[in-house]
Every structure is written in structure tokens, then in C-alpha cells.
């Protein structure tokens, strides 16, 4: 289920930079939550107050991950799959997967929000 969609950004912009812009670290956005992130958000736990952060372990150069680190990565990735399915589900509306040819970014953001709502609706009423 999609719970939050940020405004769109023109050009290449890193996800963590967008997070810091949309949800400034000065406020306690995540203090009551345990947060699951991917490796693009390294340093999150230093900037934001939270109950806990689950980030996969990164393999160091010329070293292998231990079995416990691999198990933790599997646990994080098994829940991360739902997020990836939601992103893929929104792509079926072609708003995220095609090149943007409109210049009205407010309209684009509104359409993206509608697609997120349609995806959520389809998950509620088509799930067993």
C-alpha cells in the first residue's frame, strides 16, 4: 500500500536528498517508528530520531558477509518486496515508467497521487 508520494523533482536527484527536503531532520518524523530502508539511506539513523532502523549489510571490498548478516539481509529484503511490488503496480498506469512529456508538474503530481490511490484500491478489493 502506498502511504506517501512526494512531489516530483526535475532531473536526477538522490532519494535521501529528497527525504531530507520533504521531511527535514529537525522534526521528529520517525521517532515512534522502526524504519526499513535500502542502502541508499546510509546515515539515516544519525540524522533522524527513530525506534530502530533496518538497513541491509553492505559487502565490503574483498570480504564476504557472515551468515548472520546474510540472514538479516534476507529478512529485510523479504519485507522490502512489498514496496517494490507497489512501485511496479503504479508503473502499470504508465505514469512512472514513461518519459514525462507534460510541463505542468502540479498536474503530474496530482495524477501520480491518483495512481497511488488506484493501486491501493486495487489491493484492498482484489486481495484474497
Amino acid at each position: 500500500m502506498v502511504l506517501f508520494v512526494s512531489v516530483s523533482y526535475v532531473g536526477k536527484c538522490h532519494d535521501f536528498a529528497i527525504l531530507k527536503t520533504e521531511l527535514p531532520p529537525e522534526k521528529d518524523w520517525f521517532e515512534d517508528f522502526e524504519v526499513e530502508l535500502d542502502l541508499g539511506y546510509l546515515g539515516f539513523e544519525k540524522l533522524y530520531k527513530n525506534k530502530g532502523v533496518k538497513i541491509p549489510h553492505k559487502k565490503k571490498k574483498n570480504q564476504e558477509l557472515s551468515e548472520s548478516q546474510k540472514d538479516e539481509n534476507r529478512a529485510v529484503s523479504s519485507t522490502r518486496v512489498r514496496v517494490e511490488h507497489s512501485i511496479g503496480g503504479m508503473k502499470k498506469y504508465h505514469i512512472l515508467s514513461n518519459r514525462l512529456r507534460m510541463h505542468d508538474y502540479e498536474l503530474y503530481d496530482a495524477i501520480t497521487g491518483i495512481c497511488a490511490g488506484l493501486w491501493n484500491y486495487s489491493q484492498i478489493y482484489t486481495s484474497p
Side-chain angles (χ1 to χ4, degrees):
M1 182 172 277
V2 179
L3 301 176
F4 177 78
V5 178
S6 76
V7 296
S8 56
Y9 286 79
V10 179
K12 294 182 180 179
C13 191
H14 196 277
D15 292 343
F16 195 29
I18 292 172
L19 175 70
K20 289 187 277 189
T21 302
E22 293 288 319
L23 305 171
E26 297 80 40
K27 295 188 179 180
D28 299 330
W29 299 101
F30 304 101
E31 76 175 339
D32 296 332
F33 299 99
E34 186 172 312
V35 184
E36 294 182 19
L37 303 166
D38 61 24
L39 286 169
Y41 295 90
L42 290 174
F44 176 89
E45 63 275 359
K46 294 176 186 171
L47 289 176
Y48 291 91
K49 294 178 184 174
N50 56 71
K51 284 191 173 180
V53 176
K54 291 184 181 178
I55 296 180
H57 297 282
K58 188 174 183 179
K59 187 181 99 155
K60 294 180 182 168
K61 191 173 183 179
N62 298 326
Q63 287 185 336
E64 293 296 320
L65 294 176
S66 69
E67 283 303 315
S68 65
Q69 289 174 323
K70 288 180 183 180
D71 290 340
E72 289 175 23
N73 282 359
R74 275 189 216 102
V76 170
S77 66
S78 67
T79 57
R80 176 83 185 146
V81 167
R82 291 179 290 164
V83 173
E84 297 300 332
H85 282 268
S86 295
I87 293 169
M90 284 186 59
K91 285 183 179 181
K92 84 176 186 180
Y93 299 108
H94 301 280
I95 191 71
L96 300 178
S97 55
N98 291 337
R99 185 177 186 96
L100 177 62
R101 299 193 186 277
M102 64 174 38
H103 299 288
D104 186 350
Y105 296 113
E106 289 180 17
L107 177 61
Y108 178 76
D109 291 337
I111 293 170
T112 304
I114 291 167
C115 291
L118 288 171
W119 171 252
N120 289 344
Y121 180 81
S122 72
Q123 294 307 293
I124 292 169
Y125 291 103
T126 59
S127 297

